[in-house]
Structure formats: structure tokens, C-alpha cells
Amino acid sequence: MAVYTQVGDEDLDGFLRDYDIGTLTSFSGIAEGVENSNFLVRTTAGSWILTLYEKRVNPDDLPFFLELMRHLSGRGLSCPTPVAGRDGITLRQLNGRPAAMVTFLEGVWPRRIAPEHCRSLGTALARLHLSGGGFGRTRINALSLDAWRPLLASCQLEDREIYIGLFNELNVELRWLEAHWPRSLPHGVIHADLFPDNVFFLGHDVSGIIDFYFACNDFLAYDLAVCLNAWCFENDGSFNVTKARLLVSAYQAVRPLDEAECSALPALCRGAAIRFLLTRLYDWLNHPPGALVRPKDPMEYLKKLRAHQQVRGAGAYGL
Amino acid sequence: MAVYTQVGDEDLDGFLRDYDIGTLTSFSGIAEGVENSNFLVRTTAGSWILTLYEKRVNPDDLPFFLELMRHLSGRGLSCPTPVAGRDGITLRQLNGRPAAMVTFLEGVWPRRIAPEHCRSLGTALARLHLSGGGFGRTRINALSLDAWRPLLASCQLEDREIYIGLFNELNVELRWLEAHWPRSLPHGVIHADLFPDNVFFLGHDVSGIIDFYFACNDFLAYDLAVCLNAWCFENDGSFNVTKARLLVSAYQAVRPLDEAECSALPALCRGAAIRFLLTRLYDWLNHPPGALVRPKDPMEYLKKLRAHQQVRGAGAYGL
């Protein structure tokens, strides 16, 4: 949790002068941000979120992300909508950082996942996938199959005695994934990071989806695999097939999976597990002491990977 | 900047059930907090601030602080007003911490102080002092004259070669303050920590005063001395007498200082400087590596102290 770049009242006053969204009445840094600095900005006209993009976001990707949010909200999806300045430009600069103002969404993200959350998530995810149709830009998934082996190498596990076992296990898994990763499935724009803290709910109904800063073009069913990993495991490591069934069946009620997607699901879940395992592992091994953000536990995703390795078919996910 | 205690959606839902302030629509941790964990809570009925009191606040003091805010806002001062639960109780528990819900105030705190801010601050401070009249509870100032020598000792400067000079300088200053500290001046409830980040403005007008967690009973003019230190020095260390004059004259227009207060002002400013110098010094020398909050520079207040030592009368402050 952190705000990396400080913003003063005069900075913000000046920044808001380029917009037609009223005058500043209040603002505060949002403690929950991890990658970027976020501020809740209140004006005489309403509430907005100001994001300053920090080092981990490639500025070249920002037009993709902002245009995508605009496209999706234009299709009726509840997600932050970038607000343009008076000159029509959404991507601006503040305190030396790329910055954008987006609409504020009501809702809270669930700390404890109820089965009903998964049902509503499935519907929202399928709608997101359908709404992404016709979006004019593309961005490759920089954290998919081709990235995993270099990512594993960058962790330098083989140089450290205690990590040799883990290195060998992941090496074998990567070989399996390289052999079994689907070649062709329905694809389109995916969120690629749809963890509970990126989905707002009012009651058990999704009220909005945020944080599109990993969005990219990839197999649509891969997004479902990310969600199965992030939403359907209990804290004790067990897989809750009731949640999975609700998630997948609500998804299918809006966008049915084809046969190839169903049979690819176990491999997609293994891939989604190794993707988060590897980035967490890298952050775990490389986070500077005294960093504002505590790295997430990579081993959680090793356990999930091992669970998916036992799966013999999509039936394990309630299909 | 930090949120020390995490609060989940279900925790908060349950907590709000004891209030009559609508149902939860959004909440986020506020990055700017230093001592306590603060959350901006939005419900169907409006916006509120939820504070969880952390270790540095003595729970026994909380009734004083909460009752004071209620008293002051009842007298028309714009400050957070504690909201009682359905049972009439304001001081509650959440996630193992004492917790209170207070009203949300509009306004932003100024990063760059304009003279006009000081004028409006002077008026607000005098009103705060008058509004404190008749408040039934008392709390001694635990960070006044009697506390400074033990605080200096706890810094253990004399054990470290490089701090011997500083130790001697502060020792001499404490001896001076012990000899010159006023015995009797108009007293009452003071804020005692009225730094710019505790005063909200809309334009150049004070819209609210927050953070009463150092409030206590002491000389009223001591509060003015805290403000002269915190608001009237420029970043280059120079004292801006125009700001001081606006602050003090606006104060006097509401509550005139008597002769004893005027002549005590230089000593009060030295005392206010050493109070923040010593607590910052202690935090500087004792903050754990990797702490979420970066300690403030104590030397800023050594420079202010030295400036006040040169002063020969209240005229230096624009009186």
C-alpha cells in the first residue's frame, strides 16, 4: 500500500484547471495502491480517481489501457472511464508522471469470497469479454508462455542451493506447458489480473471492475483460469468446486465455452498459476529492504499449480 | 503515510450495522495518516472518516478527544464530529482497536502557505480557543516543560560523540526555558499540533480543523507559538514576519492577547520549537528500519529554535 508520488493542493488545482469537472473540494491518497499512486479527488461536480503512473507501467502502453476503459464503458461495462481535459486529451502529466483522471466507482472488494460473488463475477467476466469485441488496439500478453522461461531464469534459483528443488520442479512444469499450451482458442481483450481487489461489489453483485493495467490480447478462457486461481481456492489451499461451478456456469450463460476451451482449461489454469508464481517469486527475491509494499507469498501459487497438476479434465472445475 | 490495521468489507459492514448512517457503498484507506489508521467511508447517507487508534494514542485519552470534538462542533467550530452508534456510544471497537466514526470535512490542506492562509488560520485558532470554554474535561499537556528534560535524556545524545554539541546546546536551552517559562497565562483547551496538514481550506478560508489527538489544557498563547513555528517560516529557514503579523492580528481581532501573553511570546515560541525538535529527534534516532512512515527532520526545528533565541520581544512576531 503506498502513494509513491506526492501531489500538493496547488499542483492539483492547476491540473484540474485543464478539466471541466468543477473545483477541488477534497483529496486524499489511497493507501491500497500497489503499482501506481492513486488519489480520491472530490470536486464540486463529483468524485474522481486520479492515477499517477509509476515506473512499473510502460508509458507506451497507457493509450491502450485508457482507450480500452473508454471502449468498455462505452459498451455499458462498469469500469473507470477516463475523463478528457478541455482539449480532449485523457493522458496528461502531473509532477513528472503520466497521469489520468477517471470516474469513481461505487463498491467494495470482498476480503472473504462467498459463492455468490463467484456467480456475479462469472457474468461480469463474460460481459467484459463480449464488450472487448471491436476494440481497435492490441497489446500482446507480455506475461504469457514465451515470458515464463526468461522470468524463471531471472529469478536465478539454480544459483542457490535451497532453491534447486523448486527450480527443477518449475523447469519440468514449463516443459509440460510448452508441450500442452493451446495453439488456438477464441481470443480477444482480457483483463489478465482479475483478483478480488480489482472487482467491486455492492452486496453480492459486481458493481465495477478496475485496474486494467495488465489488460492485453490473449485466449479469453485464460482470464477464466486466472479467476479460478484467484477466487476459488480457500485459505487452507483447498479448491472450492462449488465456487468454480458458479463462476464457470454464470460465465457460460453469457458466453458459452467451446469444446477446445473446455479441454484446455486444466492447462490454462496451470499456466495462470505459474504466471503469478513466477512474478511473485521474482518480487520476493528482489524487493528492496524497507520497500513500502510487502511482496505477496509466491508459495501460495506453487500449491495452486500442484493442485491443477492433479486435474484430469475440465470436470474438476465444475464443467 | 500508512494504514496500520486492515479493515475488510465484512468487518466494516458489521461495524456499520451499529450506526444509523446508511449502508456501505465504498471505502478506502487514507494514505496520509501518520499516527492512526484512517479510512474514508461512503454510505448511502454520505461520507465519513473511520479512525482506528493505534499504539501511540493512549486509549484513556480517547474520551477527552472525542468529547472535545463534539463540544467544539456543538459551538459551531468546523471540526470532525464523532458519530454515535444507535446505543449513543461513539468510542467503539473494530478489529481489536478502539475506533470511532466522525463526520467528513471538505477542504484541502495547503502545501505552500500563502499569507492569506495565515490570516484565516488566526481567526480559526482564536475561535477554537473561545469555543473550548466550558468544556468539562481536562487533559494535561504531556509534552510541555516538565516533559522536555526526560525526552532529551531518552534521546541518549550524550552517549554519541557526534551529538555532544547538540546535547549541550539543548541542555543550555532547557535551563533557559526552565527559568523563563511563564508561570501563569490565560489557559484553556489548545490543539497543540496545528500544523498545515491539520487545517483544511477552501480557497484561502479555513474550512475545518482536524486531528485533535494532542489537544490538552495549556496556555492559549502556546498554540499561537506552535502556529508561528509551523506556518511562518519559509523553506529556506527565514521567518516571514508578514505571515506572522496576519496570523497574530487576525487572532487578536477575535481574542486579544493580554500584556503578559505578548511578552511571553518569544519564550513560548522557543518552547514550541524545542517540543517538536525533541519528539522528532527521538523518532529520528529510534525509528525502525523499514518503517512505513519516514521520520521528519528534527534539524528544521533546531534552526527555528535558534531564530527565536535571537528575538528580543514580541515585535519580532509583528505585534
Side-chain angles (χ1 to χ4, degrees):
Chain A
M1 56 186 188
V3 164
Y4 303 90
T5 303
Q6 297 301 325
V7 173
D9 55 322
E10 291 184 335
D11 308 325
L12 193 51
D13 261 336
F15 187 73
L16 285 176
R17 239 170 268 138
D18 294 333
Y19 290 87
D20 195 22
I21 58 170
T23 59
L24 185 63
T25 60
S26 170
F27 79 106
S28 57
I30 297 176
E32 287 85 1
V34 172
E35 300 278 336
N36 300 312
S37 298
N38 293 296
F39 299 87
L40 175 53
V41 174
R42 295 163 72 118
T43 73
T44 47
S47 294
W48 322 85
I49 300 290
L50 168 66
T51 300
L52 272 62
Y53 298 99
E54 303 291 345
K55 283 176 221 154
R56 282 177 70 149
V57 174
N58 181 346
D60 297 341
D61 286 333
L62 289 171
F64 175 90
F65 300 139
L66 293 173
E67 283 302 311
L68 175 61
M69 289 188 270
R70 208 210 304 247
H71 174 90
L72 293 175
S73 55
R75 298 279 182 109
L77 196 87
S78 178
C79 69
T81 314
V83 181
R86 289 205 172 86
D87 54 7
I89 295 170
T90 50
L91 180 58
R92 313 184 77 88
Q93 286 273 129
L94 180 56
N95 293 5
R97 293 272 168 217
M101 193 78 81
V102 300
T103 53
F104 173 85
L105 295 187
E106 285 200 341
V108 295
W109 66 268
R111 274 65 172 178
R112 199 172 67 180
I113 310 301
E116 280 307 309
H117 289 128
C118 294
R119 185 204 301 272
S120 185
L121 173 70
T123 308
L125 180 63
R127 284 188 188 146
L128 165 63
H129 288 167
L130 295 183
S131 304
F135 179 56
R137 292 174 184 260
T138 56
R139 177 176 179 267
I140 62 152
N141 187 352
L143 292 171
S144 188
L145 186 68
D146 291 345
W148 298 336
R149 202 165 274 286
L151 206 45
L152 177 60
S154 71
C155 291
Q156 300 181 287
L157 297 180
E158 63 278 32
D159 300 345
R160 289 179 254 196
E161 185 86 33
I162 54 159
Y163 290 124
I164 287 293
L166 179 60
F167 176 76
N168 290 336
E169 181 174 350
L170 297 183
N171 219 4
V172 168
E173 176 65 16
L174 283 183
R175 228 173 293 142
W176 187 91
L177 283 166
E178 283 152 2
H180 294 85
W181 196 245
R183 307 249 166 261
S184 159
L185 287 177
H187 59 94
V189 179
I190 66 166
H191 184 284
D193 192 38
L194 209 50
F195 279 63
D197 56 344
N198 288 332
V199 185
F200 289 173
F201 288 82
L202 289 171
H204 286 140
D205 299 322
V206 172
S207 61
I209 291 177
I210 65 164
D211 200 351
F212 285 80
Y213 303 109
F214 287 96
C216 55
N217 292 73
D218 205 339
F219 303 140
L220 298 176
Y222 177 73
D223 240 1
L224 201 53
V226 171
C227 290
L228 285 165
N229 276 311
W231 295 74
C232 301
F233 282 90
E234 300 300 322
N235 289 337
D236 64 6
S238 63
F239 187 73
N240 186 324
V241 75
T242 303
K243 291 180 179 174
R245 186 173 292 123
L246 286 168
L247 170 62
V248 177
S249 62
Y251 183 92
Q252 295 220 71
V254 178
R255 183 190 162 265
L257 298 171
D258 70 20
E259 211 171 303
E261 288 178 297
C262 291
S263 28
L265 210 48
L268 293 171
C269 284
R270 288 167 74 159
I274 210 162
R275 172 256 181 268
F276 289 100
L277 170 54
L278 288 171
T279 52
R280 288 188 178 190
L281 199 56
Y282 183 86
D283 290 345
W284 188 271
L285 297 169
N286 293 285
H287 83 283
L292 290 171
V293 175
R294 276 177 245 281
K296 289 174 183 153
D297 178 18
M299 291 307 113
E300 178 193 335
Y301 267 80
L302 181 61
K303 288 183 203 137
K304 290 178 180 180
L305 174 61
R306 287 174 178 164
H308 295 304
Q309 288 169 341
Q310 304 309 316
V311 161
R312 291 289 154 256
Y317 306 117
L319 272 84
Chain B
M1 57 185 186
V3 164
Y4 303 90
T5 303
Q6 298 300 325
V7 174
D9 54 322
E10 291 185 336
D11 308 325
L12 193 50
D13 260 336
F15 188 73
L16 286 176
R17 240 170 267 139
D18 294 333
Y19 290 88
D20 194 23
I21 59 170
T23 58
L24 184 64
T25 60
S26 170
F27 79 106
S28 58
I30 297 176
E32 286 85 2
V34 172
E35 300 278 336
N36 300 313
S37 299
N38 294 296
F39 299 85
L40 175 53
V41 174
R42 296 163 73 118
T43 73
T44 46
S47 293
W48 323 86
I49 301 289
L50 168 66
T51 301
L52 272 62
Y53 298 99
E54 303 291 343
K55 282 177 223 157
R56 284 178 69 149
V57 174
N58 181 345
D60 296 342
D61 285 335
L62 289 171
F64 175 90
F65 300 139
L66 293 173
E67 282 303 310
L68 175 61
M69 288 189 270
R70 209 211 304 247
H71 174 90
L72 293 173
S73 57
R75 298 278 182 110
L77 197 87
S78 178
C79 70
T81 314
V83 182
R86 290 205 171 87
D87 54 7
I89 294 170
T90 52
L91 181 56
R92 314 184 75 89
Q93 286 272 131
L94 180 56
N95 292 5
R97 293 272 168 218
M101 192 78 80
V102 300
T103 53
F104 172 85
L105 295 186
E106 284 202 340
V108 294
W109 68 267
R111 273 66 173 178
R112 199 171 68 181
I113 310 302
E116 281 307 309
H117 289 128
C118 294
R119 186 203 300 273
S120 185
L121 174 69
T123 309
L125 180 62
R127 284 189 188 146
L128 166 62
H129 288 167
L130 296 183
S131 305
F135 179 55
R137 293 174 183 260
T138 57
R139 176 176 179 266
I140 64 154
N141 186 352
L143 292 170
S144 189
L145 187 67
D146 292 344
W148 299 335
R149 203 166 274 285
L151 206 44
L152 177 61
S154 72
C155 291
Q156 299 182 288
L157 297 179
E158 62 277 31
D159 300 345
R160 290 179 251 196
E161 185 87 33
I162 53 160
Y163 291 124
I164 287 293
L166 178 60
F167 176 76
N168 290 335
E169 182 174 350
L170 296 183
N171 218 5
V172 169
E173 176 65 16
L174 284 183
R175 229 173 293 142
W176 187 91
L177 283 165
E178 282 152 3
H180 295 86
W181 196 244
R183 307 250 167 259
S184 160
L185 288 177
H187 60 95
V189 179
I190 66 167
H191 184 284
D193 192 38
L194 209 50
F195 279 63
D197 56 344
N198 289 332
V199 186
F200 288 173
F201 289 82
L202 289 171
H204 286 140
D205 298 323
V206 172
S207 61
I209 292 177
I210 65 164
D211 200 350
F212 285 78
Y213 303 109
F214 287 95
C216 54
N217 293 72
D218 205 339
F219 304 140
L220 298 176
Y222 177 73
D223 241 1
L224 202 53
V226 172
C227 289
L228 286 165
N229 276 311
W231 293 75
C232 301
F233 282 90
E234 301 300 323
N235 288 337
D236 63 6
S238 63
F239 187 74
N240 187 323
V241 74
T242 303
K243 291 180 179 173
R245 187 174 291 120
L246 287 168
L247 170 62
V248 177
S249 62
Y251 182 93
Q252 296 221 69
V254 178
R255 182 190 164 266
L257 298 171
D258 70 19
E259 214 171 301
E261 288 178 296
C262 291
S263 26
L265 211 48
L268 293 171
C269 284
R270 287 166 74 158
I274 210 162
R275 172 257 181 269
F276 289 100
L277 171 52
L278 288 172
T279 51
R280 287 188 179 189
L281 199 55
Y282 182 86
D283 290 344
W284 188 270
L285 297 169
N286 294 285
H287 82 281
L292 289 171
V293 174
R294 275 176 246 281
K296 289 175 183 153
D297 179 18
M299 292 306 113
E300 178 193 335
Y301 268 79
L302 180 62
K303 289 183 200 137
K304 291 178 180 179
L305 174 61
R306 287 173 178 165
H308 295 304
Q309 287 169 341
Q310 305 308 314
V311 162
R312 291 290 155 256
Y317 306 117
L319 273 83

